[in-house]
Amino acid sequence: MKDPYRMTMFTDLGLMAPLCRAVDAEGYTVPTPIQARAIPHLLGGRDLLGVAQTGTGKTAAFALPILQRLSEKNQRPVPRAVRALILTPTRELACQIGDSFAAYGRGMHLRRTVVHGGVGMGRQVAALAGGVDILVATPGRLLDLVSRAQVRLDAVEIFVLDEADRMLDMGFIRDVQKIVGRIPVKRQTVLFSATMPQAVASLAASLLTDFERIEATPPATTVDLIDQRVLFVAKDDKRHLLVDLLKSSAVTRAIVFTRTKHGADRLVEQLRKGSVSADAIHGNKSQGARQSALDGFKSGRVRTLVATDIAARGIDVDNISHVINFDLPNEPESYVHRIGRTARAGTSGAAVSLCDADEIVHLRAIEKTIRRPVPVDSDHSYHADAIARLHADPAHKPKAKPNGGKPRVNNAPPSRVQPARGGRPPHGNGSRRPNAA
Ligand code: AMP
């Protein structure tokens, strides 16, 4: 059966020519389902509640109509004023959204800037002095700038609250309320959230007027295109196996997930010793260090980024060839989120999980969630047959609790995963460590 949204083109959505050209230049051929539904609605000036996570194309879904509406009105912002405000919980997301506006709004002569904490205020103050059409901000820094009278919010025409659930998780509700209290009641409001717990639903009800609700799950085909494999390996051999995998020419850009920040740092050291260029990104790193790791990864200077789940949320880098689970996640939902980093927007990708004896419990939980076994790849130098046999043995009852006894940190919704397609080996040329036992 045909998906009706697949037939919709950007030119059908009422977007002006420069925006159609910009999405074309980005290589987007058809709008994603959320874009097909949200764009006409937002162009009409209505409020929107979007239940969607990163990977669904939600940024363009709100950025394109904002650019169009602002340019159609053809007004200049007054000094220190803002016409469209996008609030987002983290610096990384703020920068990514800023980059998207820059890409889509090329040649439109709209002024925009991004403000977030962790860096000096001087440049931000200077950028805001003449007023901006579009401001992407994290809540704390925005309030700081407001209280110093460096920016005023009384001319905001369009307000976007992005990742509302995460905003609440991170304790930003008071800040958000203070900001909302300063923007005009008469405005267009857009709220995006990956999940819809009661607190977000109440916030949405208080912010939105006569709104449309649009839900989007990342296209199932995305996960369908991921070649998933599990490699059974003893804990102590994992790092050697990882070096082998990363040296394969099939791995052009990889994210390696570890459970802990310390584990991420240790792994980067070990990879560098093995002559693999790698950098880590996690919450203990300074903003500068995180940004430089991300920049190096995006530019291709560093092929491997080692990340924890929390730090990786919101990282938006295209063309990731491999997601490698150095540690299997405690939460099966995290597995789905992690592997969704590859095979973005219709490209293919590979997800490789290294599983030691203690992680069989996690692997079983993952297989239950995705409703199918993860194909086993035993074609590597460190294959631990004993672990493979334990995993295959239905009588084997692993001792660890499925969540490792730790509180849940990932409250994203369980995602539907389609069966993986077999075929491509996860590490291309089947590289092996010489003389490995
Ligand atoms: P988002 O959900 O906004 O984080 O976007 C996820 C990724 O999809 C980004 O890398 C976008 O560049 C990309 N993207 C957004 N819209 C489209 C589209 N219509 N076609 C192809 N890729 C897209």
Side-chain angles (χ1 to χ4, degrees):
M1 201 179 74
K2 270 184 194 163
D3 176 348
Y5 297 119
R6 285 283 155 236
M7 298 308 292
T8 310
M9 306 306 282
F10 277 103
T11 42
D12 302 329
L13 301 179
L15 286 171
M16 60 208 301
L19 292 172
C20 290
R21 281 198 297 273
V23 292
D24 194 45
E26 288 297 296
Y28 306 170
T29 45
V30 288
T32 64
I34 195 130
Q35 290 164 357
R37 292 188 60 197
I39 291 172
H41 190 76
L42 291 175
L43 285 175
R46 295 200 41 213
D47 284 5
L48 177 81
L49 172 61
V51 188
Q53 59 199 37
T54 303
T56 53
K58 69 184 167 82
T59 313
F62 65 78
L64 295 169
I66 288 178
L67 287 162
Q68 178 148 335
R69 297 200 73 218
L70 293 179
S71 79
E72 273 172 353
K73 272 202 182 169
N74 200 21
Q75 280 169 0
R76 305 298 306 168
V78 298
R80 302 212 167 85
V82 174
R83 296 177 66 201
L85 171 65
I86 295 92
L87 265 194
T88 187
T90 67
R91 301 154 185 179
E92 283 83 4
L93 271 169
C95 293
Q96 279 163 20
I97 295 172
D99 290 347
S100 297
F101 271 104
Y104 308 144
R106 210 176 290 129
M108 291 184 81
H109 308 296
L110 290 168
R111 274 188 270 172
R112 55 188 153 67
T113 197
V114 177
V115 302
H116 54 71
V119 292
M121 269 195 204
R123 279 196 195 170
Q124 300 179 355
V125 167
L128 290 164
V132 291
D133 295 290
I134 300 154
L135 175 63
V136 185
T138 54
R141 175 55 60 96
L142 179 63
L143 280 176
D144 235 1
L145 288 160
V146 168
S147 68
R148 290 164 198 244
Q150 299 299 343
V151 62
R152 34 185 284 209
L153 303 178
D154 56 354
V156 169
E157 299 160 38
I158 309 174
F159 173 54
V160 180
L161 186 63
D162 189 34
E163 304 235 342
D165 51 350
R166 203 161 156 210
M167 202 79 102
L168 299 192
D169 283 350
M170 291 172 74
F172 286 142
I173 182 71
R174 294 282 305 278
D175 286 355
V176 171
Q177 280 163 343
K178 277 190 208 158
I179 291 164
V180 170
R182 290 180 173 267
I183 60 182
V185 176
K186 192 174 169 311
R187 58 168 193 255
Q188 181 178 24
T189 308
V190 181
L191 186 148
F192 270 101
S193 191
T195 59
M196 207 33 72
Q198 188 49 46
V200 177
S202 310
L203 183 65
S206 72
L207 295 180
L208 302 165
T209 320
D210 184 25
F211 62 91
E212 184 86 359
R213 176 182 166 128
I214 298 178
E215 286 200 39
T217 43
T221 51
T222 304
V223 179
D224 193 28
L225 288 166
I226 302 173
D227 177 20
Q228 301 175 60
R229 299 292 157 124
V230 60
L231 281 60
F232 292 110
V233 54
K235 201 188 280 312
D236 289 345
D237 284 338
K238 274 192 175 186
R239 60 178 195 274
H240 301 302
L241 174 56
L242 181 67
V243 170
D244 274 7
L245 292 172
L246 291 174
K247 283 189 171 169
S248 155
S249 60
V251 181
T252 52
R253 185 176 273 170
I255 294 196
V256 176
F257 282 97
T258 60
R259 220 166 0 233
T260 64
K261 300 171 201 169
H262 181 60
D265 285 334
R266 210 171 37 208
L267 196 56
V268 165
E269 270 174 41
Q270 289 163 345
L271 289 175
R272 286 180 182 165
K273 273 189 204 150
S275 306
V276 172
S277 76
D279 220 333
I281 184 160
H282 58 64
N284 284 2
K285 294 236 163 196
S286 69
Q287 167 65 8
R290 277 197 277 173
Q291 196 59 55
S292 107
L294 204 54
D295 290 346
F297 187 56
K298 275 189 180 170
S299 71
R301 190 166 39 78
V302 175
R303 273 202 309 171
T304 307
L305 191 67
V306 181
T308 55
D309 284 293
I310 303 247
R313 267 187 86 169
I315 292 179
D316 175 22
V317 180
D318 291 332
N319 300 326
I320 290 172
S321 66
H322 287 68
V323 168
I324 301 182
N325 294 309
F326 184 78
D327 296 319
L328 276 180
N330 300 330
E331 297 285 346
E333 291 86 358
S334 297
Y335 175 82
V336 177
H337 282 280
R338 287 179 180 188
I339 70 170
R341 301 271 154 201
T342 184
R344 300 286 284 271
T347 60
S348 61
V352 182
S353 298
L354 310 191
C355 178
D356 65 32
D358 294 339
E359 292 171 317
I360 290 175
V361 64
H362 303 320
L363 179 60
R364 286 194 178 157
I366 288 163
E367 292 181 320
K368 209 167 146 192
T369 298
I370 64 174
R371 295 197 201 97
R372 55 166 288 124
V374 179
V376 177
D377 181 357
S378 55
D379 181 23
H380 60 94
S381 307
Y382 300 95
H383 176 64
D385 204 45
I387 303 176
R389 282 201 305 272
L390 278 182
H391 172 249
D393 176 6
H396 170 65
K397 297 269 182 286
K399 286 191 202 90
K401 287 183 197 148
N403 69 353
K406 294 188 185 108
R408 284 176 72 98
V409 288
N410 185 331
N411 56 3
S415 310
R416 277 177 294 119
V417 176
Q418 298 292 309
R421 282 191 200 136
R424 201 148 65 75
H427 46 99
N429 60 11
S431 71
R432 282 171 180 275
R433 200 169 73 122
N435 308 323

